[in-house]
Amino acid sequence: MGACCSKEVEYGSYGDRQIAACESEIDQETQVLKGDYGASVRLQGFSSFVSMATLQGKKGINQDAMTIWEDFAGEKDVYFCGVFDGHGPCGHKVARAVRDQLPTKLSAAYNHIKTTGRSQSDVDAIYDDMDDATSEAGEADNEIDIDDLEANSKFYTWKSSLLRACREVDKELSLDSSIESYCSGSTAVTIVKQGDYLIISNLGDSRAVMCRKGEKGEVKAVQLTVDMKPSLPREAERVRRCKGRVFSLDEEAHVLRLWLPDEDSPGLAMTRAFGDFCLKDYGLISVPQVSCRKLSHQDEFVVLATDGVWDVLTNFEVVKIVSSARKRSVAAKFLVVHAIRAWKSRFPASRTDDIAVVILFFKRPPSPAAAKSMSDISHVTPDSLSHLNSSISQYTHRSISTSDADDGFDFRDINNNKGKSQDEDWGEGESLVDMTLNFPRYSSARFRARSSSKDADF
């Protein structure tokens, strides 16, 4: 990774020697495996439309995992992308199990529904047979307000497939004695790209953010997911209905966590995850938030990343950094390097978190001449991008509004003219933990707790 670091401060300031060294390192990592239905599977590396990178933090074994399947489910030019962030003693095993099992089960479920020729009413019946999964998630309304019947059908097919696949993955985890998943789990944020449509699925606090080019060539960040945390009113309400507790520790009063009814453990900082079966009867669920978006000609790429990126960089900074990378092959590592630099600059006393990044580009790579021109145009200076040594950006830590949470986070604006403005930011993350405390996302019960019920605002 050291070869990727630039001595200069500006983003996009790699020299030819650094680029060559980084690309050589990536070439050695690239390996393509064969998946179900003839898909090409990558666990690292890059391709014409893909850039991937991961880096172990300072907290022990790397608990992040990632994957990309090309020609997914046997359909040409269909992509499946995912990043998975483990937590707990065996979080790394859970994350890798989900990485391997979820795309396999999703492609099988999708092809089963497609080959059996189910109608929309049949797909609705699948929801009714999901052990009330959608109602548990507070998503009773599964209707889509769109005119495009083909897109409507695609969304229902993929959503039902995702719900079923996630349920099966979680069930297999509970039965797998080789993985301790009672107090270990994993987040998952995934995207299926089929033609001009993105099907986005989210569990936990990893995130998907898309880059859109404005009329004058400026880049804009469009957040596609909402971090599923106890600070979201609807999520906290579900936990309390199931007798779980939501409160913060005195040492980190701004971070709400999920706890057992009669014991101050485990203190999980999210409300949806695979595994963590000690909390599954008390409000934690493995039901993903699924949404759909139709791409426009202005959309450039999407970044999937674990919270090791989003804790220190804003959505805008992330898309700017990726846009300024001179070559796609190094874009993900370029982002990882800047995230690590941000950790060291902003939180020098903290232990760097694990990081996993997957970038999916929507358009064909530009010609060498055009790429050079784009690199010149997208050259980013510290002044234009809020230099990493500056104070934490107000955008990173702006709380999600109650109105956003009550909308159910289902951003299915397939026609690009429904609901909220496309350029509207959906609210980036929640307040960051005081990183000098080095709390894991599982918090130890040895710390005194303060119930959020004492807070009048919650």
Side-chain angles (χ1 to χ4, degrees), residues 32-44:
V32 180
L33 309 174
K34 280 300 179 182
D36 298 335
Y37 302 97
S40 299
V41 181
R42 295 178 187 273
L43 303 182
Q44 54 191 359

Side-chain angles (χ1 to χ4, degrees), residues 258-280:
L258 176 56
W259 309 82
L260 291 168
D262 302 313
E263 186 178 349
D264 287 349
S265 67
L268 188 61
M270 65 201 71
T271 54
R272 305 192 189 196
F274 289 106
D276 297 311
F277 293 103
C278 65
L279 289 168
K280 282 291 165 65

Side-chain angles (χ1 to χ4, degrees), residues 23 25-32 41-54 66 68 70 328-333 357-359:
E23 287 182 325
E25 180 182 351
I26 293 176
D27 285 338
Q28 295 174 5
E29 296 175 347
T30 299
Q31 182 179 7
V32 180
V41 181
R42 295 178 187 273
L43 303 182
Q44 54 191 359
F46 69 96
S47 69
S48 297
F49 293 92
V50 168
S51 185
M52 308 170 69
T54 186
M66 57 186 181
I68 288 185
E70 302 179 32
R328 290 184 176 185
S329 58
V330 300
K333 285 206 169 187
V357 173
V358 166
I359 304 170

Side-chain angles (χ1 to χ4, degrees), residues 153-167:
S153 176
K154 285 182 180 179
F155 176 75
Y156 268 84
T157 301
W158 281 114
K159 181 169 184 177
S160 60
S161 302
L162 279 159
L163 291 173
R164 174 161 290 180
C166 288
R167 182 180 65 171

